Amino acid sequence: MSKEFSIYKKVSYIDFAAAALFTLLLINFSLDISLLAFPLALIFSGSLVYLSFFKIFKKTDGSKAMAVLKLTQYLPYFLLLCFILRRAGKNGTSSFYDFITVLLWIIVFVTSLILSNLMGEKKIKKLSEGWSVKPEFKKPQGAARIAFEIVDWIDALIWAIFTVMLFQIFVFQLYEIPSESMVPTFLIKDRVIVSKFDCGPKFPLTNIGLPDFRRYKRGQTIVLRNPHYSLERKSEVKTVVSQLVYMLTFMTVNLNTDENGELKADPLVKRICGEPGEQLVMQDGQLYARTKNHDFQPVSLDNKFACWNLNALPSNVKNKVQLFPLDAKEYEELVDFEEYRRNYDLKVAEFRAYELVRSLNSLSQAASLTEEVFEAPSLFEFHLFSKAGQITSDILTKKGGRKWFGDFMTSWISNKNNERDLYSEANYRLNVMAKITFGNIVLRSAILIKNKAGEDEWKNDAELNQYYELAQKLNWYIQSHLDQRNMPLFPANDAQGNPQYIPNNCYFMMGDNRFNSLDLRHSYEQTQKALSADDQLSIEYYSNMEPQYVNKRYIIGKPVYRFWPATRRGKV
């Protein structure tokens, strides 16, 4: 027996023992797909053990050496598939159980590499010295050569797929940009290489893997699991399977869909905008941050990446952008509107609110009241403006209408001088602006009703049209841009008003294309919310604002290189 053969046998025994223990840990009795993991692993590893022990070790018969080599090479990858299959069932496994299984798999992987090397064509001669039957690596001739070449190509393809699969789980992953949330950094269909090795990659469906030793900081682009989706077992199984199919089909088939059959926005590519120990707020497109050691300050680095006006992009990038939430004129109007809101005089508004109430009272006193009781309308901003004519009629003719109008128009005044953060102050002013605009519409409508104005007079009333024009601008900003342009204190202060901060190992991310990025500022559902907490009768709007931070365990990699399209290839 040669020295090489003695080493080969010892390593093989280690490989067989680890594979056997690994296979035993796949045993379970759940009546689902996970039940297949154990028999499949047993058949595959058992075939390898049988051929190795009875043919090579016992009879030194090298006629099956090629089959043993291929089974040895495929063993760790096949066991990895069985590992995933076992965890795809209803019943999970404990972290300790996973740790032992992963440790055994690593032993199988390492020993299989050693054995494959010892059985290579260059070393097989020394290994097989003294064997009764020498291994044959010669290619057949004639018609059999064609079949051999086909099988050889299939073998090479399968080997490449398994290698890429392992590489993609732990080292690099290919990722196709699905949306324009990161314009101009990334465009739709950009394909990038994502580094995973230093971001703590895990074995599929477990928390066992490499440590995360990358240091994350503001401004870095990262790829993360979408926290808006459930990470429960059933969903994770579908995600893992879809990733494998996506990889095996060279990024052409994506099965990662939600319960409605729509493609999931998972994973996401975003930029780190908030770090541990910070409290954030964003107003009029400017991000501010404070810590325990300093008050709110503008985050200058965020201005470098945040893209609000796509019209200002270079032409070579702008021509590739599909959606422009605002054209150049609309963006200027937005900025002007925000400036108008910042300079809005609350003292003048207070005087106008009382004047509106007095004026309407004097008009409504002359109107005859019916026996009907006034029902307070919805405070939803669009409803108030679109139904202003009917609401005015009800105020004038129904009991309690004038009182409601007076309460609604002045409910904000008692808290006018309260101290508020930037976001709350801006929304408080928006609420007052909307109320005064609504009050102006109601008073002008009441005058037209009193004067029994005709249809043409209503349509052509310049004063009323001016108020409705402002109402339309308010609706445009509140419903379409408020939640994209701004963000409340995050994390929110506690009940006593004490600042809260992003915890250790947690980060806040946004897309660069802020008007077209459904990111960690937002939920996927809208709820009706009050514009201002300092007004009991605040105007309301539909909002999906629900900022959240995520633990770094959600981060799965960092884009490092764009390889497609060729005209935009380069380091990220």
Side-chain angles (χ1 to χ4, degrees), residues 297-504:
Q297 297 176 0
V299 181
S300 56
L301 182 61
D302 189 67
N303 298 333
K304 179 180 178 181
F305 301 110
C307 184
W308 295 105
N309 184 12
L310 297 180
N311 305 279
L313 292 174
S315 58
N316 62 326
V317 176
K318 182 179 176 180
N319 293 338
K320 295 180 175 65
V321 177
Q322 299 178 12
L323 177 64
F324 287 80
L326 296 173
D327 60 30
K329 182 180 178 182
E330 288 174 325
Y331 183 74
E332 288 182 9
E333 290 176 352
L334 176 84
V335 174
D336 290 342
F337 179 82
E338 291 173 340
E339 181 69 17
Y340 172 64
R341 186 214 64 235
R342 286 192 293 270
N343 296 327
Y344 191 72
D345 194 326
L346 293 179
K347 289 183 178 180
V348 173
E350 179 182 3
F351 178 82
R352 181 59 177 166
Y354 284 125
E355 183 182 28
L356 287 167
V357 173
R358 286 193 299 269
S359 298
L360 191 75
N361 281 338
S362 63
L363 283 173
S364 60
Q365 285 174 356
S368 58
L369 294 177
T370 66
E371 293 300 317
E372 291 184 72
V373 177
F374 180 84
E375 291 186 10
S378 165
L379 297 181
F380 179 56
E381 170 267 334
F382 180 78
H383 179 271
L384 282 173
F385 288 133
S386 62
K387 304 291 184 182
Q390 181 60 52
I391 294 172
T392 301
S393 178
D394 291 344
I395 290 172
L396 293 174
T397 60
K398 294 182 180 181
K399 293 179 179 180
R402 285 181 296 171
K403 182 180 185 310
W404 175 85
F405 182 75
D407 292 341
F408 176 74
M409 292 304 302
T410 60
S411 58
W412 59 274
I413 294 175
S414 61
N415 295 322
K416 184 184 65 170
N417 296 320
N418 286 6
E419 185 177 342
R420 285 176 285 269
D421 60 81
L422 285 171
Y423 176 87
S424 299
E425 178 64 24
N427 279 16
Y428 180 81
R429 289 171 175 269
L430 270 180
N431 176 59
V432 175
M433 290 166 62
K435 282 194 166 191
I436 297 300
T437 303
F438 172 75
N440 285 331
I441 291 174
V442 168
L443 179 60
R444 186 58 188 167
S445 298
I447 293 173
L448 292 173
I449 291 173
K450 180 184 177 182
N451 295 337
K452 299 181 180 180
E455 184 177 345
D456 288 341
E457 290 180 88
W458 279 84
K459 286 183 179 179
N460 298 320
D461 188 86
E463 186 177 346
L464 186 62
N465 287 335
Q466 182 181 5
Y467 295 145
Y468 270 115
E469 185 178 339
L470 180 54
Q472 188 173 10
K473 182 64 67 71
L474 283 161
N475 174 263
W476 171 74
Y477 185 84
I478 292 171
Q479 300 296 341
S480 301
H481 305 300
L482 178 60
D483 281 4
Q484 276 67 44
R485 187 74 165 155
N486 312 289
M487 184 179 71
L489 280 182
F490 175 74
N493 292 342
D494 63 17
Q496 289 72 41
N498 300 313
Q500 302 299 298
Y501 303 97
I502 298 174
N504 289 334

Side-chain angles (χ1 to χ4, degrees), residues 66-90:
M66 179 62 75
V68 170
L69 174 61
K70 292 302 176 185
L71 288 174
T72 301
Q73 289 174 338
Y74 288 136
L75 180 62
Y77 301 104
F78 191 85
L79 292 184
L80 180 60
L81 292 177
C82 292
F83 178 89
I84 296 172
L85 196 63
R86 166 63 183 88
R87 281 142 186 83
K90 296 179 181 178

Side-chain angles (χ1 to χ4, degrees), residues 87 98 142 190 238 244 343 440 463 494 534 538 546:
R87 281 142 186 83
D98 288 339
D190 279 1
K238 186 174 182 179
L244 291 175
N343 296 327
N440 285 331
E463 186 177 346
D494 63 17
D534 282 345
S538 170
E546 195 176 338

Side-chain angles (χ1 to χ4, degrees), residues 126-159:
K126 289 186 177 181
L127 180 67
S128 60
E129 288 179 2
W131 286 15
S132 58
V133 179
K134 296 290 185 181
E136 289 290 339
F137 286 91
K138 293 181 180 180
K139 296 181 180 180
Q141 301 299 320
R145 178 66 178 268
I146 298 176
F148 176 86
E149 292 294 342
I150 292 174
V151 172
D152 193 48
W153 272 101
I154 293 174
D155 170 69
L157 179 61
I158 294 174
W159 176 254

Side-chain angles (χ1 to χ4, degrees), residues 99-293:
F99 176 78
I100 297 300
T101 312
V102 167
L103 186 60
L104 290 170
W105 183 88
I106 292 173
I107 295 173
V108 171
F109 180 76
V110 173
T111 52
S112 294
L113 285 179
I114 296 173
L115 292 173
S116 299
N117 182 59
L118 290 173
M119 293 187 71
E121 287 190 55
K122 294 181 179 180
K123 296 185 177 181
I124 192 68
K125 290 182 179 180
K126 289 186 177 181
L127 180 67
S128 60
E129 288 179 2
W131 286 15
S132 58
V133 179
K134 296 290 185 181
E136 289 290 339
F137 286 91
K138 293 181 180 180
K139 296 181 180 180
Q141 301 299 320
R145 178 66 178 268
I146 298 176
F148 176 86
E149 292 294 342
I150 292 174
V151 172
D152 193 48
W153 272 101
I154 293 174
D155 170 69
L157 179 61
I158 294 174
W159 176 254
I161 289 173
F162 279 135
T163 302
V164 170
M165 179 184 72
L166 195 63
F167 199 79
Q168 183 158 297
I169 290 174
F170 295 105
V171 185
F172 288 104
Q173 180 175 345
L174 303 183
Y175 182 73
E176 183 179 82
I177 304 300
S179 72
E180 293 188 329
S181 67
M182 284 295 290
V183 169
T185 306
F186 296 117
L187 301 175
I188 292 178
K189 299 296 183 180
D190 279 1
R191 297 189 177 188
V192 297
I193 297 175
V194 177
S195 172
K196 301 179 72 174
F197 180 77
D198 55 351
C199 295
K202 309 300 180 188
F203 274 75
L205 303 176
T206 75
N207 291 319
I208 309 302
L210 298 176
D212 184 352
F213 50 85
R214 173 178 285 277
R215 296 187 64 183
Y216 303 102
K217 58 183 180 180
R218 193 192 328 272
Q220 290 182 338
T221 55
I222 50 90
V223 176
L224 74 155
R225 297 298 310 277
N226 191 337
H228 294 107
Y229 293 120
S230 169
L231 299 183
E232 49 87 22
R233 176 168 297 278
K234 183 178 179 181
S235 175
E236 284 298 273
V237 169
K238 186 174 182 179
T239 297
V240 169
V241 171
S242 67
Q243 287 174 345
L244 291 175
V245 173
Y246 188 63
M247 183 264 306
L248 295 177
T249 58
F250 304 100
M251 303 171 70
T252 59
V253 178
N254 191 344
L255 302 177
N256 196 20
T257 57
D258 59 20
E259 59 274 9
N260 299 318
E262 300 292 332
L263 285 178
K264 283 185 177 181
D266 186 31
L268 301 172
V269 56
K270 300 297 175 188
R271 192 179 300 278
I272 295 176
C273 300
E275 299 179 304
E278 291 182 334
Q279 186 181 44
L280 308 171
V281 69
M282 187 163 68
Q283 187 56 49
D284 299 341
Q286 174 64 62
L287 183 67
Y288 300 84
R290 74 173 167 189
T291 67
K292 293 179 180 179
N293 299 322

